[in-house]
Amino acid sequence: LMPRSRARRRAQHRTWKHRRRTLSDSRYPISPPFGQHVIVHTASSHDRESGPHLILFDGECSFCAGWVQFVLARDTHGTFHFASAQSHAGQRQLAQVGHSGADLTTVFVIRSYTSGHATCLTRSEAAAFIASQLGVGWSLAGVLLRIVPRRLRDAGYDVVASYRHQLGSSATVCLVPTAEQRQRFLDR
């Protein structure tokens, strides 16, 4: 093997220099040249579109409750917080973004709800956004869902929403959240 040229080593050095992470970090599989600190861009809660985001769901729907449990299990960064759309906290958050909250056939996602520039997503746009924030496999599903024209997505969403009470389990099963999960619910 031929030795690397000095210019090539410097170019590689600059590349590694723009990535920040220590060598002792086990998530970084390859050590950088010259044994220095490096910067690696990874998806963090800060990269997840400046969360936290609030999911408002129908609190009387067992399908919706199961769906919240699905999101809780996959949201390892704690990006999402939750509230029932019927609760006082949910109604207050909806009023702040200009929605009445009377429509319980949709899920609401209030992006960056703790900031002054919160925006509200509904129906299939909310579902695609949630999927895009859950991790690699689900973010791909969110991207693929957004390829479909919004009218078709919303029509499919409306079909599922109209049968959501029949899709949920007939037995009333309530989530008993852990202390950490309980902190993510506004209507505790």
Side-chain angles (χ1 to χ4, degrees):
L1 296 174
M2 296 187 64
R4 292 184 188 168
S5 70
R6 186 176 208 178
R8 186 173 176 193
R9 279 195 313 261
R10 282 188 178 169
Q12 189 176 20
H13 175 71
R14 281 191 294 265
T15 302
W16 288 104
K17 197 173 179 181
H18 293 292
R19 300 177 183 180
R20 184 176 304 175
R21 182 144 319 157
T22 61
L23 292 175
S24 62
D25 193 340
S26 63
R27 292 181 294 179
Y28 194 24
I30 304 170
S31 61
F34 309 110
Q36 66 205 32
H37 296 292
V38 293
I39 302 171
V40 174
H41 180 73
T42 58
S44 67
S45 59
H46 299 293
D47 294 332
R48 297 184 177 278
E49 301 198 32
S50 66
H53 312 294
L54 179 63
I55 297 176
L56 297 167
F57 62 96
D58 182 356
E60 298 173 359
C61 168
S62 59
F63 177 78
C64 303
W67 184 77
V68 166
Q69 292 177 31
F70 174 86
V71 173
L72 265 173
R74 286 154 185 81
D75 181 21
T76 57
H77 296 290
T79 304
F80 291 107
H81 293 179
F82 306 90
S84 167
Q86 295 96 330
S87 69
H88 293 294
Q91 290 294 315
R92 186 175 57 248
Q93 292 294 329
L94 283 171
Q96 287 178 356
V97 292
H99 281 275
S100 68
D103 182 17
L104 294 177
T105 61
T106 185
V107 63
F108 296 95
V109 174
I110 302 176
R111 292 172 49 179
S112 306
Y113 80 100
T114 57
S115 70
H117 58 278
T119 57
C120 187
L121 304 172
T122 59
R123 300 168 71 187
S124 66
E125 193 62 32
F129 177 77
I130 292 168
S132 71
Q133 301 297 305
L134 290 182
V136 176
W138 292 106
S139 63
L140 179 62
V143 169
L144 292 175
L145 189 58
R146 286 189 173 131
I147 291 173
V148 177
R150 185 160 184 174
R151 281 188 187 180
L152 291 176
R153 283 186 288 153
D154 283 345
Y157 183 91
D158 290 342
V159 168
V160 172
S162 64
Y163 290 104
R164 72 186 188 282
H165 291 289
Q166 290 87 357
L167 292 173
S169 66
S170 59
T172 305
V173 179
C174 295
L175 167 71
V176 179
T178 64
E180 181 182 315
Q181 290 174 336
R182 204 173 301 124
Q183 297 299 317
R184 295 170 58 188
F185 284 86
L186 296 187
D187 48 358
R188 294 177 230 162

